[in-house]
Amino acid sequence: MISLRSGNRVCAKVLWCALAVYYGLLTLSNSALAFSTTATVKVKVLAPPCIVNGNRDIPIDFGNDIIVSRIDSRIYERPIPYVLDCSAGTSKALKMQILGGGASFDTTVLGTSKTNLAIELKSNGTKMAVNSWHNFTDPARPSLSAVLIKNRSGAVTGGSFTATSTLLVDYQ
């Protein structure tokens, strides 16, 4: 705190210097307000997203009686039933991706919780690599299926297994 006394010249000089700096800053800030600029804003408006299966999970059950020696055959191929609602979109050109972790022995197939066991995904009967986009035109939606496969150089042990993936649909 500065207290001013009539006989203290140092305090008076400090006060005058402080006031001069204060008024100088005010003048500077007022002149800064006199400048203006134009801002350009660019925005991309996106179509509403497609709704996959009413935002519900799509369970696929391979059953409880899987015979290891029969894995890799069409016996263990299951359809992936899904419902797609892209009615709010403006384009019929779509793309689909199944996002998930690849198997340790083949990153193009969906890995499972069981070593040497994976799930090959198919679109209209053709292998669909995980984490890759596949184009299609609505309403000709691809028929999806899942097939159990095994690592040819490793053994599959008995027991339960799980696998998780996410089906993504977007506009091309």
Side-chain angles (χ1 to χ4, degrees):
M1 176 187 236
I2 298 177
S3 65
L4 292 176
R5 288 182 250 156
S6 59
N8 193 338
R9 288 183 158 195
V10 174
C11 287
K13 284 183 181 178
V14 169
L15 178 63
W16 283 112
C17 286
L19 287 173
V21 169
Y22 174 74
Y23 284 116
L25 288 174
L26 278 179
T27 304
L28 248 160
S29 67
N30 284 339
S31 64
L33 293 175
F35 295 103
S36 66
T37 185
T38 303
T40 302
V41 178
K42 294 182 179 182
V43 177
K44 184 177 181 181
V45 178
L46 300 174
C50 294
I51 298 170
V52 179
N53 212 46
N55 291 322
R56 293 181 315 274
D57 289 345
I58 305 170
I60 301 167
D61 187 2
F62 288 99
N64 294 323
D65 54 354
I66 296 171
I67 300 169
V68 174
S69 63
R70 298 184 86 183
I71 293 175
D72 285 332
S73 68
R74 293 186 54 92
I75 294 171
Y76 299 117
E77 184 168 358
R78 300 291 185 265
I80 301 174
Y82 69 99
V83 176
L84 189 58
D85 179 7
C86 297
S87 59
T90 57
S91 174
K92 299 294 182 190
L94 301 171
K95 58 185 178 179
M96 175 182 288
Q97 178 185 61
I98 297 184
L99 188 64
S104 61
F105 61 92
D106 182 353
T107 58
T108 65
V109 297
L110 184 62
T112 70
S113 60
K114 186 153 288 296
T115 304
N116 296 319
L117 182 66
I119 299 171
E120 181 179 279
L121 302 161
K122 292 186 176 185
S123 171
N124 294 330
T126 304
K127 183 176 179 178
M128 180 179 178
V130 294
N131 305 317
S132 296
W133 288 104
H134 303 275
N135 296 336
F136 68 100
T137 304
D138 201 28
R141 298 172 182 167
S143 173
L144 302 178
S145 62
V147 181
L148 286 180
I149 64 166
K150 63 183 175 181
N151 183 355
R152 295 189 192 282
S153 62
V156 177
T157 59
S160 299
F161 68 91
T162 59
T164 304
S165 63
T166 303
L167 176 61
L168 301 173
V169 176
D170 201 355
Y171 301 98
Q172 291 183 37

